[in-house]
Amino acid sequence: MAALPASKGLGNVAGMFPQVCGDTKFTYLDSAATTLKPKIVADTIDKYYRQQCATVHRGMYPLALKATDKYQQTRRKVAAFIGARDSQEVVFTKGCTESINLVAQSFGTAFVKKNDEIIITESEHHSNIVPWQLLSQRTGCKLRVVPMNPKTGHLDYEYLRRNISPLTKLVAVQHKSNVTGVTHDIQKISEMAKKHGAKVLVDAAQSCATNDIDVQRMGVDFLALSGHKMFGPTGIGVLYGKRELLNSMPPYQGGGDMVDRVNFEKTTFAPIPQKFEAGTPLISSVIGLGAAVDFIESLGRKGIRAYVDELGNYARKKLTEISEVKLLPSESSVVSFTTARSPLDAATLLGETGFAVRAGHHCCQPLHQKLGISSSLRVSVAPYTTKADIDKFVAALKDVLKQLRNNAGDA
């Protein structure tokens, strides 16, 4: 399917998603939490379990060989999708969080010592904060935090330039914020880091379905992806790592499939990427991820991004019609805001009327603290979202806020 310009919309794509196809009573606006799954992904997983179920790497019978081929096909697809040099630089994990933890554990054990520095930012998801805090507790390394401009959501690149030093071992940064939707300049960050020999890890959970990702052009050393945020299954993620780095890092977990030879005196390990994929993998989810990559490529990431950016701007414009809505700094497909009412109360009432939105800190407590709030409401769109969905949501939000004012006695 060819990519469509945003002006013509991607509304016909909704028909490819069984969960929302033809359902006029349910409006899904929580795609930053997880995307819905197209029929092709569900059918691919169903076919594996019904007709092709076998383990990988270990059997010589036809089903096992076919499963192994499908599994490795996905690895090659992902490598091409992100611009990796070859598929051996693609490691399958349980998700973006595990990918980051793998680097914190393995790279951190091998290369980070007391008084070394890890740089993160104020806008990070907890999954790109906590692993580095744990590493700091284990090794005595120090964390430096790049400020975020509370008015724009953009990072203070000058602070980053001043604070990267020979002590910096790694800069860990998100590509796109799950609260503000702001896309950070990864190439600029990488150029700063390389001047001091620091490595760069990118959390691409929010950008993998929409942004053009090329790890070589971006100059990154590690990149983490989340399958369920790019129309794929839950429980599957990817860690990209440069071959020379992965080869130099110790295993993350031990078990079957990641070994070469085992005896009671010593174990030698399989080459990458198997060295980091202990045990029976999530075969069906990997194969489903391959179908998700095919789906994204069929639409075209440029077309997807143009559409969701336009729709996000439309949502921001419509929300300004409500006087008590205060928009957080936001861009692209993510629109976060507050009102005079509890975000949880508003989201609960919206849910009861068929609208799926997110309320809370969105696993970004430091970011919310920087903005002087504890929580917010978030609307996030995808190719299956339409302007009609936004119009219905804004009308419903007006009704919900009126109901909450009446309940509080300050109508």
Side-chain angles (χ1 to χ4, degrees):
M1 179 179 177
L4 298 175
S7 59
K8 293 184 179 179
L10 289 174
N12 59 320
V13 172
M16 302 177 185
F17 290 82
Q19 197 166 337
V20 293
C21 180
D23 188 347
T24 59
K25 296 182 179 180
F26 176 64
T27 303
Y28 188 77
L29 297 170
D30 197 20
S31 294
T34 193
T35 53
L36 301 181
K37 317 309 171 195
K39 187 175 185 296
I40 188 175
V41 171
D43 287 349
T44 297
I45 296 171
D46 182 71
K47 184 176 181 180
Y48 167 76
Y49 278 121
R50 289 180 182 272
Q51 302 175 22
Q52 302 171 341
C53 186
T55 192
V56 297
H57 302 150
R58 299 169 186 174
M60 295 306 297
Y61 51 92
L63 273 180
L65 294 173
K66 187 168 186 177
T68 299
D69 183 57
K70 290 278 189 182
Y71 185 88
Q72 297 301 347
Q73 272 184 24
T74 298
R75 200 187 300 277
R76 293 190 292 272
K77 288 178 184 179
V78 171
F81 186 72
I82 63 174
R85 288 176 296 181
D86 66 66
S87 62
Q88 288 186 313
E89 296 182 316
V90 172
V91 177
F92 292 126
T93 66
K94 291 186 296 185
C96 200
T97 297
E98 185 177 48
S99 296
I100 296 170
N101 275 275
L102 191 161
V103 177
Q105 290 276 352
S106 183
F107 175 86
T109 296
F111 297 108
V112 180
K113 60 184 185 299
K114 186 175 181 179
N115 294 326
D116 284 341
E117 295 180 353
I118 306 291
I119 294 180
I120 57 177
T121 83
E122 283 185 325
S123 63
E124 299 305 314
H125 189 281
H126 295 164
S127 61
N128 205 23
I129 297 174
V130 179
W132 309 114
Q133 290 176 330
L134 295 174
L135 178 63
S136 176
Q137 292 169 12
R138 292 197 308 272
T139 66
C141 71
K142 298 177 181 177
L143 294 185
R144 287 189 176 272
V145 182
V146 177
M148 178 196 76
N149 185 322
K151 294 182 179 179
T152 66
H154 288 265
L155 299 178
D156 185 341
Y157 294 105
E158 179 59 24
Y159 176 95
L160 180 60
R161 186 192 65 77
R162 292 196 312 268
N163 283 276
I164 294 181
S165 76
L167 290 174
T168 306
K169 292 299 180 184
L170 183 79
V171 179
V173 60
Q174 63 189 188
H175 192 191
K176 177 181 175 181
S177 170
N178 67 309
V179 176
T180 67
V182 169
T183 297
H184 303 305
D185 191 338
I186 301 302
Q187 193 165 342
K188 177 187 285 190
I189 292 169
S190 294
E191 289 169 358
M192 293 182 197
K194 299 312 173 191
K195 290 180 180 178
H196 297 280
K199 308 305 180 187
V200 176
L201 176 144
V202 173
D203 170 1
Q206 290 295 325
S207 61
C208 52
T210 57
N211 293 51
D212 182 23
I213 294 174
D214 186 320
V215 292
Q216 294 185 70
R217 187 183 69 246
M218 294 161 76
V220 303
D221 301 283
F222 302 103
L223 185 133
L225 298 179
S226 179
H228 77 99
K229 297 195 179 184
M230 52 186 286
F231 313 110
T234 56
I236 187 65
V238 168
L239 172 67
Y240 158 80
K242 285 184 175 178
R243 176 196 287 269
E244 56 271 24
L245 276 172
L246 294 178
N247 279 330
S248 67
M249 290 159 50
Y252 172 56
Q253 295 177 324
D257 222 29
M258 51 77 69
V259 296
D260 176 28
R261 297 185 64 84
V262 178
N263 58 47
F264 287 113
E265 287 71 42
K266 183 181 180 180
T267 295
T268 56
F269 303 110
I272 62 169
Q274 279 75 26
K275 181 173 75 171
F276 296 104
E277 295 180 4
T280 301
L282 296 161
I283 303 167
S284 63
S285 293
V286 169
I287 294 172
L289 177 62
V293 171
D294 290 342
F295 176 77
I296 292 171
E297 297 286 36
S298 74
L299 296 181
R301 278 176 279 185
K302 285 187 178 179
I304 294 174
R305 184 170 185 182
Y307 180 71
V308 298
D309 282 1
E310 182 179 291
L311 202 57
N313 289 334
Y314 181 74
R316 278 180 279 275
K317 180 181 177 182
K318 295 295 289 185
L319 283 166
T320 59
E321 297 175 0
I322 305 176
S323 60
E324 67 179 282
V325 164
K326 181 180 180 181
L327 291 172
L328 274 57
S330 67
E331 298 177 2
S332 186
S333 56
V334 180
V335 185
S336 298
F337 61 95
T338 60
T339 72
R341 312 298 151 186
S342 159
L344 182 60
D345 289 347
T348 300
L349 291 176
L350 285 164
E352 290 175 355
T353 55
F355 293 89
V357 299
R358 183 56 56 104
H361 51 65
H362 320 309
C363 295
C364 290
Q365 288 177 297
L367 184 153
H368 279 81
Q369 291 164 9
K370 179 62 177 271
L371 297 176
I373 56 177
S374 61
S375 61
S376 62
L377 279 162
R378 185 185 69 192
V379 169
S380 48
V381 301
Y384 42 75
T385 315
T386 65
K387 286 186 176 180
D389 292 332
I390 300 300
D391 291 338
K392 288 193 298 181
F393 164 72
V394 171
L397 179 62
K398 290 177 180 178
D399 290 341
V400 162
L401 293 176
K402 181 178 180 180
Q403 181 180 343
L404 289 172
R405 287 196 300 272
N406 289 339
N407 290 346
D410 55 355

